[in-house]
Amino acid sequence: MKKLIAAALLCMGSGANAAQTITMQLPCVSAPEAEALITSILPETIEQLGTSCAGQLPPGALLRQPPTALIARYRADADAAWPGAQKAVQRLAGDNIGGLLSGSLARPLIASLLAPAITRAVQPADCPAYDRIVTLAQPLPPRNLAGLLVAAWELADARKKPDTTAPVRGGLSICKP
């Protein structure tokens, strides 16, 4: 379970403070697995962003609106994406927790771990940019937003130089095709 929590904290490069003593190389996940994982946590992450950014955004901002059809649509896709996301979580957490991932409570559990870890890294000054991203992505299917995020992630990984002095080594990476 410690490995699962570490994977959750490291998944999006967040939670470094909470995971400072963890030094591990997480296995890479495929782009489709990463897209499924992101799709499966989007509703909770968007809701958490709205909570975190509420004081930084004007009243009409999308992230300040009550979760409505957008979150319902994202939640439906999150549930549909969960089988692919399970493969990523299983790979990251190891084979020992396979039984935990088969239940219907696994997706909300993983999302409840990841969404706060991701949004904890959000700086208040960045909230308008996040609101713009969610607003622009609103008409897209959730899997398209996840695909765009993974593509940006892959570009960032390709440009990243290894930091051998970082307290948390490894992190989540996309497998090279």
Side-chain angles (χ1 to χ4, degrees):
M1 189 56 121
K2 182 178 179 183
K3 191 174 177 186
L4 174 61
I5 293 168
L9 291 173
L10 294 171
C11 188
M12 299 297 226
S14 302
N17 290 338
Q20 280 184 335
T21 60
I22 300 169
T23 303
M24 70 174 67
Q25 178 62 45
L26 293 174
C28 65
V29 295
S30 69
E33 289 169 342
E35 288 176 23
L37 182 59
I38 290 171
T39 301
S40 73
I41 64 169
L42 277 172
E44 291 80 3
T45 304
I46 292 170
E47 287 176 324
Q48 188 73 39
L49 270 173
T51 300
S52 299
C53 289
Q56 307 299 318
L57 297 170
L62 180 62
L63 286 176
R64 285 200 56 187
Q65 305 309 308
T68 55
L70 175 68
I71 296 299
R73 186 167 54 94
Y74 274 66
R75 196 167 317 282
D77 275 23
D79 291 337
W82 180 240
Q86 281 179 302
K87 293 175 186 171
V89 173
Q90 177 106 26
R91 185 183 313 228
L92 294 169
D95 294 331
N96 295 339
I97 65 153
L100 292 174
L101 299 177
S102 62
S104 61
L105 296 177
R107 192 201 68 75
L109 173 66
I110 297 298
S112 72
L113 289 170
L114 288 177
I118 292 165
T119 58
R120 188 175 11 259
V122 172
Q123 300 297 311
D126 295 336
C127 288
Y130 284 106
D131 185 65
R132 180 167 163 72
I133 290 167
V134 173
T135 300
L136 290 171
Q138 184 179 11
L140 297 175
R143 72 177 191 281
N144 287 40
L145 174 55
L148 288 170
L149 293 172
V150 168
W153 184 355
E154 288 177 301
L155 284 171
D157 275 356
R159 290 179 172 84
K160 191 183 333 180
K161 293 183 168 79
D163 182 1
T164 58
T165 63
V168 179
R169 289 171 184 48
L172 185 62
S173 62
I174 308 292
C175 302
K176 304 223 184 303

